[in-house]
Amino acid sequence: MLVNIKQAIALLKQSQVVAIPTETVYGLAADASNDEALQKIYAIKERPADNPLIVHIADANQVNNWAAEFPPLAQKLAKAFWPGPFTLVLPAKDSVSKIVRSGQSTVALRVPSHALTLQLLKQSGLALAAPSANKFTQLSPTTAAHVAASLGDDVAVLDGGACKVGIESTIVSVKGDDWQLLRLGMVSEASMEALAGRPALKNQQNLPKVPGQHSLHYSPKTPIKLFVSRDVLINFAKTSQKSCAALLIGEGAKPICKYVDLPKQADDVAKQLYSALHELDALNVAQLLVETPPADSEWLAILDRLMRAACQN
Ligand code: AMP
Ligand code: MG
């Protein structure tokens, strides 16, 4: 059910959820200070209660409403990457809902770069908890139609067009001068390292829990097989007993099965990745064949999503 911004604000103020557009993926939003509304996110997504939610705010001035500390390094990163596909995990104030942070001592904050959602945040005066607007472990939605396909027509959706970045935000935890990368995204590790003046801490043991780190995530219904070589993919399609469809990256020979081919630019592939997977999934073939991008740093977030999508096999 599509709603306009006025209706979206009214629903959010009545403890309802609304799917909202962002530059990364569509989020299922609720008032981040309202436990009754937050519970609805978990129920609709069928998301385990121990998976915390990102709180979306209108600007960096609101960080101090949520975080007990906003260290200079975090301020620098926020200044460089907000509004944008970048989430900061900071020590939470005691007043932050235990539901939004799943009982953890931290809170995740992001200023999204989407005009309609920034208007919604400013006009409503709310901060919005918003995980991706899909059922737990499924493919993330990058259009209003994807939201309806995953969550049904009863969910209110504010349509802001197709998402411009297309994959979920980079998540970084900052404590004092130290930072840790919790989820890869299109804000690169190298760009953060340049600003921080030091590499990310690699101490995996102390990482806060991040559901985006589940090995099965971002998955279409159809099983995925990954191929480093286009030739091997083409040969698999030719000789397989199963019905296949393929996702190709860049120029080259084509397989005999149906395929979607994406351009060779990492930004463009991120933008179209979930749409392409939604489209291929809808073909109801037995096997999706996905060509992996090069293992260069600009492709790491895309490779991460593809490996998780393929994890069910
Ligand atoms: P999604 O459901 O795709 O929007 O994912 C939200 C991401 O934000 C997940 O990877 C969460 O683990 C992460 N996140 C939210 N809150 C926190 C927090 N307090 N500490 C660590 N990660 C968080
Ligand atoms: Mg998600």
Side-chain angles (χ1 to χ4, degrees):
M1 168 187 42
L2 293 183
V3 294
N4 62 29
I5 193 159
K6 211 171 138 203
Q7 293 166 319
I9 292 172
L11 286 166
L12 290 164
K13 293 202 166 174
Q14 291 157 19
S15 310
Q16 302 299 316
V17 298
V18 177
I20 58 166
T22 80
E23 80 282 26
T24 59
V25 303
Y26 273 71
L28 187 64
D31 176 352
S33 307
N34 178 334
D35 283 353
E36 182 196 345
L38 292 167
Q39 302 274 23
K40 290 182 183 162
I41 293 181
Y42 285 93
I44 292 171
K45 275 184 64 81
E46 297 165 17
R47 179 176 173 114
D50 64 354
N51 288 190
L53 308 175
I54 295 174
V55 177
H56 294 72
I57 52 179
D59 58 58
N61 294 328
Q62 293 183 16
V63 168
N64 291 319
N65 299 342
W66 300 87
E69 290 165 34
F70 193 14
L73 171 59
Q75 292 182 35
K76 200 170 176 181
L77 294 170
K79 195 156 184 237
F81 300 122
W82 280 352
F86 174 75
T87 298
L88 268 175
V89 171
L90 297 171
K93 282 186 147 175
D94 287 345
S95 54
V96 177
S97 159
K98 296 250 176 349
I99 295 180
V100 89
R101 56 187 162 114
S102 298
Q104 300 204 49
S105 60
T106 51
V107 63
L109 298 165
R110 181 165 103 83
V111 178
S113 174
H114 192 291
L116 196 56
T117 286
L118 283 173
Q119 190 189 340
L120 176 71
L121 290 165
K122 283 179 188 146
Q123 271 183 30
S124 67
L126 299 172
L128 297 174
S132 52
N134 54 277
K135 296 274 187 193
F136 183 60
T137 78
Q138 286 182 0
L139 269 184
S140 297
T142 55
T143 64
H146 293 159
V147 177
S150 180
L151 300 181
D153 273 331
D154 289 346
V155 169
V157 186
L158 182 65
D159 189 354
C163 301
K164 295 236 158 59
V165 172
I167 65 172
E168 300 79 2
S169 58
T170 303
I171 304 182
V172 166
S173 155
V174 178
K175 278 209 186 95
D177 292 334
D178 287 328
W179 63 288
Q180 284 179 298
L181 189 52
L182 304 186
R183 179 170 72 188
L184 294 166
M186 295 311 281
V187 169
S188 70
E189 184 166 1
S191 62
M192 293 182 290
E193 188 171 327
L195 279 168
R198 60 205 295 179
L201 281 187
K202 299 289 184 205
N203 177 4
Q204 297 294 322
Q205 274 158 4
N206 290 335
L207 285 186
K209 194 176 170 70
V210 270
Q213 306 295 97
H214 279 221
S215 46
L216 169 62
H217 211 91
Y218 316 115
S219 293
K221 295 189 293 292
T222 320
I224 290 185
K225 219 175 165 48
L226 300 178
F227 291 86
V228 176
S229 149
R230 173 84 58 100
D231 288 343
V232 176
L233 184 155
I234 289 174
N235 197 46
F236 186 98
K238 200 154 70 187
T239 54
S240 175
Q241 310 290 337
K242 297 178 182 169
S243 58
C244 297
L247 181 67
L248 310 174
I249 297 179
E251 294 297 308
K254 310 295 185 208
I256 53 167
C257 60
K258 284 198 176 159
Y259 61 84
V260 172
D261 52 351
L262 299 179
K264 184 93 199 172
Q265 291 288 326
D267 287 353
D268 293 333
V269 171
K271 187 171 169 177
Q272 296 171 49
L273 182 68
Y274 290 140
S275 269
L277 289 172
H278 278 289
E279 188 182 331
L280 290 166
D281 209 15
L283 295 174
N284 286 320
V285 294
Q287 183 79 61
L288 295 184
L289 316 178
V290 174
E291 182 177 17
T292 55
D296 301 344
S297 57
E298 58 174 347
W299 291 96
L300 287 180
I302 293 164
L303 201 55
D304 169 77
R305 301 309 188 272
L306 287 175
M307 286 170 66
R308 291 177 202 283
C311 187
Q312 59 196 302
N313 306 307

